[in-house]
């Protein structure tokens, strides 16, 4: 596994007069990329202007030329800003291609501004006649398509300000491309959530901000920095931590969304750790049969893991995460500076999960962790941003290849077979997820040395990293209780547990059977010494 991420083109869409060319020039200059305008490309390729093709060959023929031109522009050979011609994004084929391969930025401004910019509109064939009426008609026809864009930005401000807003809203974004819905960005860095409004769907009037009470101050700050539009923010503060992931709390939240009269085009923003994200995401998946949601993760674990991949859910009496849905967010905005208030135990828990990524993937993460672990523990924002960015890339790559956990996504479960059993045996809430994962990794690592060829040096590297994280030791847990939980899990998967092991660092192997005796011996050895 590599965890690689490439530069993604930026495509500008919008009604006539929304400023695609002007902003395109600014953006391209600012990024040092090429600007390509689909209309000019068509002229270059065919020797005819779009107006001529439309007049002579009709709209269908024009759209075909436009689509093949777009395919060429998005071939991925160079970083490019694409200013898209009028109705291009309203065409389903072009829209799918753009949403999968580029960051699509929908530009908009009030009709009065657009009309002023359009002027006489002599060269705009789709706006001949009563310009205001034609513009209103175009807006009505294209509104739904524009709502699907990754970002929406009001261009009433100066083009320099708009370009900066777009750049900052996407700075360092990792794309999660699940194939089932449009790709979405994971934006990592200081101030990542300051451009929250750009990530809300066009047409969104109300936003329900769901947060847990320990991060309410952060949620309030988000309202303040994002209060430039007509969107109404409604906040709901819930109890902190795992208890919020209950059926009852979800029901109360859904009733509250209805009470706020949230509509199908409105959105929910989850500000919090994995508990809030899982529960609020589940509410977003079910309210009105699914509304848009954005995650602002506030724990390290949520930033590197739970917020990415669209797994949402709540706990039932019988088991954790038993009710849930796959529901991908529109964006994940991970502001590493909000970790400064996170208790040290929770930060260490997140680092446990980070260590897992360092064992399952190749690339820079192992070195980053080896050299930056102490700085990360002290909350150094630059180090944390780098680490979170790498983990997000790895998770995005895995999720992109296996959106619904059909196979490959299991690599993320290295160390988790035993971790889940420890969490259940110790009693939920007694140990943090990362503490349990670290012990699970020690077990899976030793089994990997014994039966999958993992070099001992790789296991020693893993153990040294885990030792340096500063995780709280487990409370006394009986190996027999953990084995009994593993037995339950075995029944749940039809009689045989399948392990994720490593043949070397960065090379996970799936679906491994491990003899019961080896599991017992290794577990006893690890639990006695941790
Ligand atoms: N959906 C997935 O793919 C996925 C993956 C891994 C884990 N999870 C789930 O995530 C949950 C655990 O998430 P978590 O570890 O983020 O814990 P959490 O959400 O329970 O938060 C832990 C504690 O930290 C507090 N907190 C959060 N952010 C803070 C901040 N910035 N400053 C101060 N305090 C803060 C919370 O109030 C809480 O008390 C579990 O329910 C687990 O099942 C889901």
């Amino acid at each position: 596994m590599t965890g690689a991420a490439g530069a993604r083109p930026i495509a500008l869409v919008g009604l006539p007069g929304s400023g695609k060319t002007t902003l395109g020039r600014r953006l391209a200059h600012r990024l040092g990329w090429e600007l390509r305008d689909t209309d000019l490309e068509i002229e270059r390729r065919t020797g005819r202007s779009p107006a001529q093709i439309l007049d002579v060959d009709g709209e269908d023929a024009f759209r075909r030329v436009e689509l093949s031109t777009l395919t060429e522009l998005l071939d991925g050979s160079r970083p490019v800003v694409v200013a898209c011609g009028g109705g291009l994004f309203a065409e389903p084929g072009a829209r799918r291609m753009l949403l999968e391969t580029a960051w699509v930025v929908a530009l908009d401004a009030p009709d009065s501004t657009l009309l002023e910019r359009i002027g006489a509109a002599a060269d705009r064939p789709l706006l001949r006649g009563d310009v205001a009426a034609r513009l209103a008609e175009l807006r009505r026809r294209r509104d739904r398509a524009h709502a699907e864009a990754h970002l929406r930005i009001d261009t009433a401000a100066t083009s320099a300000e708009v370009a900066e807003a777009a750049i900052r809203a996407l700075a360092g974004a990792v794309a999660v491309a699940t194939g089932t819905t449009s790709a979405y960005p994971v934006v990592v860095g200081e101030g990542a959530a300051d451009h929250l409004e750009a990530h809300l769907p066009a047409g969104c009037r109300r936003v329900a901000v769901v947060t847990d009470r320990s991060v309410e101050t952060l949620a309030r700050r988000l309202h303040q920095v994002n209060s430039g539009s007509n969107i109404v923010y409604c906040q709901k503060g819930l109890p902190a931590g795992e208890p919020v992931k209950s059926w009852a709390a979800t029901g109360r939240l859904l009733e509250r969304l209805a009470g706020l009269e949230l509509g199908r085009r409105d959105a929910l923003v989850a500000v919090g750790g994995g508990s809030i994200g899982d529960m609020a995401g589940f509410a977003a998946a079910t309210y009105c049969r699914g509304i848009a949601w954005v995650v602002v993760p506030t724990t390290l674990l949520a930033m590197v893991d739970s917020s990415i991949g669209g797994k949402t859910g709540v706990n039932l009496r019988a088991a954790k995460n038993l009710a849930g849905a796959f529901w991908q967010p529109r964006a994940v905005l991970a502001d590493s500076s909000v970790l400064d208030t996170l208790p040290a135990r929770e930060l260490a828990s997140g680092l446990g999960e980070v260590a897992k990524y360092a064992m399952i993937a190749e690339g820079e993460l192992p070195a980053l962790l080896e050299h930056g672990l102490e700085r990360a523990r002290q909350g150094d924002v630059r180090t944390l941003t780098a680490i979170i960015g790498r983990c997000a890339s790895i998770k995005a790559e895995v999720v992109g290849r296996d959106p619904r956990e059909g196979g490959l996504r299991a690599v993320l479960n290295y160390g988790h077979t035993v971790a889940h059993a420890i969490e259940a045996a110790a009693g939920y809430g007694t140990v943090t997820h990362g503490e349990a994962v670290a012990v699970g990794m020690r077990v899976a690592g030793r089994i990997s040395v014994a039966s999958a060829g993992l070099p001992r040096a790789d296991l020693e590297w893993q153990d040294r990293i885990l030792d340096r994280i500063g995780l709280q030791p487990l409370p006394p847990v009986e190996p027999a209780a953990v084995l009994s939980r593993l037995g339950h899990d075995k029944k749940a998967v039809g009689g045989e547990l399948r392990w994720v092991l490593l043949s070397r660092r960065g090379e996970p192997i799936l679906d491994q059977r491990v003899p019961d005796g080896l599991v017992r011996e290794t577990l006893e050895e690890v639990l006695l010494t941790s």
Side-chain angles (χ1 to χ4, degrees):
M1 286 186 53
T2 58
R8 205 176 154 90
I10 294 179
L12 305 176
V13 303
L15 292 172
S18 58
K20 290 170 295 202
T21 312
T22 317
L23 179 69
R25 271 195 215 108
R26 275 273 176 192
L27 267 179
H29 177 71
R30 173 71 173 68
L31 294 166
W33 293 6
E34 265 181 61
L35 170 67
R36 296 300 187 87
D37 179 309
T38 54
D39 285 351
L40 294 179
E41 281 303 312
I42 288 169
E43 213 162 327
R44 192 184 57 76
R45 287 177 70 198
T46 63
R48 294 192 297 165
S49 73
Q52 284 167 331
I53 303 175
L54 274 164
D55 277 348
V56 178
D57 303 343
E59 190 164 347
D60 284 353
F62 174 67
R63 295 296 171 206
R64 281 195 295 277
V65 177
E66 212 178 25
L67 188 61
S68 69
T69 307
L70 183 67
T71 311
E72 236 174 65
L73 288 179
L74 296 176
D75 71 357
S77 57
R78 61 202 171 277
V80 65
V81 176
V82 181
C84 296
L88 177 64
F89 192 59
E91 294 302 307
R95 186 158 73 245
R96 206 173 316 116
M97 186 189 301
L98 281 163
L99 290 170
E100 276 170 12
T101 52
W103 292 129
V104 182
V105 182
L107 306 176
D108 201 7
D111 280 1
S112 54
T113 312
L114 299 182
L115 287 168
E116 212 173 278
R117 290 182 188 153
I118 292 165
D123 60 338
R124 296 187 194 252
L126 293 178
L127 282 179
R128 281 174 195 151
D130 179 345
V131 181
R134 291 289 291 140
L135 186 67
E137 168 66 8
L138 282 183
R139 185 182 284 287
R140 197 188 56 70
R141 283 196 349 224
R142 294 181 188 165
D143 240 19
R144 277 206 176 278
H146 287 164
E148 288 184 43
H150 298 111
L151 283 193
R152 39 159 225 138
I153 295 195
D154 192 323
T155 62
T158 69
S159 63
E161 285 166 345
V162 176
E164 282 314 309
I167 288 169
R168 283 203 301 270
L170 288 171
V174 169
V176 186
T178 61
T180 46
T181 54
S182 148
Y184 58 91
V186 181
V187 185
V188 182
E190 220 173 332
D194 289 358
H195 295 274
L196 166 65
E197 267 179 15
H199 294 277
L200 298 173
C204 168
R205 298 163 303 120
R206 297 176 88 77
V207 174
V209 181
V210 184
T211 178
D212 94 27
R213 291 192 187 126
S214 53
V215 289
E216 274 183 336
T217 318
L218 168 68
R220 270 196 292 275
R221 197 181 73 79
L222 283 185
H223 288 205
Q224 279 158 8
V225 289
N226 287 285
S227 59
S229 70
N230 297 327
I231 297 172
V232 179
Y233 286 84
C234 326
Q235 184 159 341
K236 176 82 178 147
L238 300 170
E242 194 69 28
V244 84
K245 278 180 63 173
S246 75
W247 191 253
T250 311
R252 284 194 294 275
L253 174 59
L254 289 169
E255 291 292 355
R256 170 93 169 131
L257 299 182
L260 293 169
E261 296 183 2
L262 240 71
R264 297 175 67 88
R265 298 183 71 181
D266 291 332
L268 183 151
V269 176
V271 183
S275 301
I276 278 288
D278 278 12
M279 180 272 209
F282 183 48
T286 48
Y287 186 73
C288 286
R289 298 195 182 83
I291 58 169
W293 72 300
V294 172
V295 202
V296 179
T298 63
T299 63
L300 181 57
L301 182 102
M303 290 182 189
V304 299
D305 189 6
S306 65
S307 64
I308 306 167
K311 269 167 68 175
T312 70
V314 296
N315 306 327
L316 299 185
R317 265 195 289 275
K320 223 170 115 68
N321 298 325
L322 204 56
F326 281 99
W327 190 242
Q328 304 292 344
R330 268 182 70 81
V332 179
L333 309 177
D335 180 343
S336 30
S337 68
V338 309
L339 297 175
D340 63 352
T341 54
L342 191 67
R345 185 176 177 193
E346 296 296 339
L347 189 70
S349 176
L351 286 169
E353 201 67 49
V354 169
K356 174 205 75 181
Y357 285 110
M359 287 306 288
I360 63 168
E362 288 168 334
E364 304 146 41
L365 184 61
L368 256 175
L369 206 51
E370 194 160 338
H371 302 297
L373 190 47
E374 277 66 34
R375 282 197 301 280
R377 282 183 63 186
Q378 284 152 16
D380 179 70
V381 174
R382 277 184 63 175
T383 308
L384 285 166
T385 301
I387 288 176
I388 297 162
R390 292 309 306 152
C391 295
S393 297
I394 297 165
K395 177 124 192 205
E397 185 193 338
V398 174
V399 166
R401 284 160 64 188
D402 181 16
R404 294 184 73 90
E405 216 164 28
L408 176 75
R409 198 150 157 174
V411 298
L412 299 168
N413 284 341
Y414 174 65
H416 283 58
T417 310
V418 165
H420 291 146
I422 289 176
E423 282 175 288
Y428 290 111
T430 317
V431 296
T432 66
H433 186 61
E435 287 158 8
V437 167
V439 176
M441 285 170 64
R442 291 184 197 270
V443 174
R446 279 157 180 73
I447 293 176
S448 298
V449 170
S451 70
L454 178 72
R456 186 154 283 282
D458 285 355
L459 174 67
E460 285 163 4
W461 186 88
Q462 170 185 285
D463 284 354
R464 273 199 306 280
I465 292 288
L466 293 176
D467 290 344
R468 284 167 58 197
I469 287 176
L471 287 156
Q472 195 162 298
L474 289 190
V477 190
E478 280 304 318
V482 180
L483 286 167
S484 145
R485 269 326 290 201
L486 284 175
H488 283 212
D489 294 350
K490 211 186 223 184
K491 280 191 209 119
V493 295
E496 193 156 35
L497 279 180
R498 299 299 173 98
W499 291 68
V500 182
L501 299 178
L502 300 172
S503 58
R504 67 175 187 83
R505 188 145 56 99
E507 270 186 18
I509 41 175
L510 296 178
D511 267 343
Q512 299 300 297
R513 294 189 177 91
V514 181
D516 287 348
L518 180 58
V519 173
R520 190 176 51 253
E521 269 167 39
T522 316
L523 188 66
E524 282 170 357
E525 177 200 331
V526 170
L527 284 181
L528 283 176
T529 49
S530 10

